[in-house]
């Protein structure tokens, strides 16, 4: 839902710049975006997020901040699992917003910041 006052505030003046799509299931997301490449952010990945070449049709899937991605998504046979390097033996991961920012910034860097105005 985007009618929550806290969510609206988080979007500030940017809501009009978004194209929001609603889906009934994750399978529907995959089906309707079958031309895209999906990357799954998880601490269980072997490869780092910088080990991949992203393109404009890349999709990034993040789990809940408290639990991460569900195992049925992580282990669905997809090889595009990515992680942010972290110090070993930490009891906590980065929060979700920071993780999304780190990975999306790298993807935008690789595709040369298509939304950046000089």
């Amino acid at each position: 839902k985007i009618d929550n006052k806290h969510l609206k505030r988080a979007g500030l003046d940017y809501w009009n710049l978004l194209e929001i799509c609603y889906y009934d299931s994750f399978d529907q997301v995959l089906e309707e975006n079958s031309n895209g490449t999906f990357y799954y952010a998880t601490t269980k990945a072997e490869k780092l997020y910088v080990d991949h070449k992203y393109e404009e049709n890349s999709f990034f899937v993040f789990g809940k901040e408290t639990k991460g991605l569900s195992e049925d998504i992580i282990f669905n046979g997809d090889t595009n699992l990515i992680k942010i390097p972290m110090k070993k033996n930490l009891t906590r991961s980065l929060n979700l917003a920071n993780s999304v920012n780190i990975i999306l910034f790298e993807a935008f860097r690789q595709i040369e910041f298509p939304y950046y105005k000089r």
Side-chain angles (χ1 to χ4, degrees), residues 11 31 33 108 115:
E31 183 180 314
N33 298 286
F108 283 144
Y115 307 106

Side-chain angles (χ1 to χ4, degrees), residues 59-116:
F59 292 81
F60 298 92
V61 181
F62 296 85
K64 293 180 180 181
E65 188 160 355
T66 56
K67 296 181 182 182
L69 288 172
S70 65
E71 295 212 1
D72 60 322
I73 291 177
I74 294 173
F75 299 110
N76 70 355
D78 199 301
T79 58
N80 291 327
L81 302 179
I82 57 175
K83 70 178 176 181
I84 298 168
M86 299 287 294
K87 184 177 178 181
K88 291 183 181 185
N89 300 321
L90 288 179
T91 57
R92 297 181 59 104
S93 297
L94 293 172
N95 73 29
L96 182 58
N98 286 334
S99 298
V100 170
N101 281 314
I102 289 167
I103 292 172
L104 287 183
F105 194 86
E106 172 62 15
F108 283 144
R109 185 194 68 77
Q110 286 187 20
I111 61 174
E112 300 179 3
F113 302 102
Y115 307 106
Y116 175 67

Side-chain angles (χ1 to χ4, degrees), residues 17-67:
L17 301 174
L18 300 177
E19 179 183 330
I20 298 175
C21 301
Y22 295 93
Y23 300 94
D24 292 325
S25 68
F26 187 64
D27 287 335
Q28 184 183 6
V29 173
L30 294 172
E31 183 180 314
E32 291 188 20
N33 298 286
S34 60
N35 63 331
T37 304
F38 283 77
Y39 296 91
Y40 303 88
T42 174
T43 58
K44 296 168 180 64
E46 296 290 324
K47 291 186 176 183
L48 301 180
Y49 72 101
V50 294
D51 293 337
H52 291 271
K53 173 71 176 113
Y54 304 116
E55 298 177 355
E56 287 199 36
N57 65 340
S58 296
F59 292 81
F60 298 92
V61 181
F62 296 85
K64 293 180 180 181
E65 188 160 355
T66 56
K67 296 181 182 182

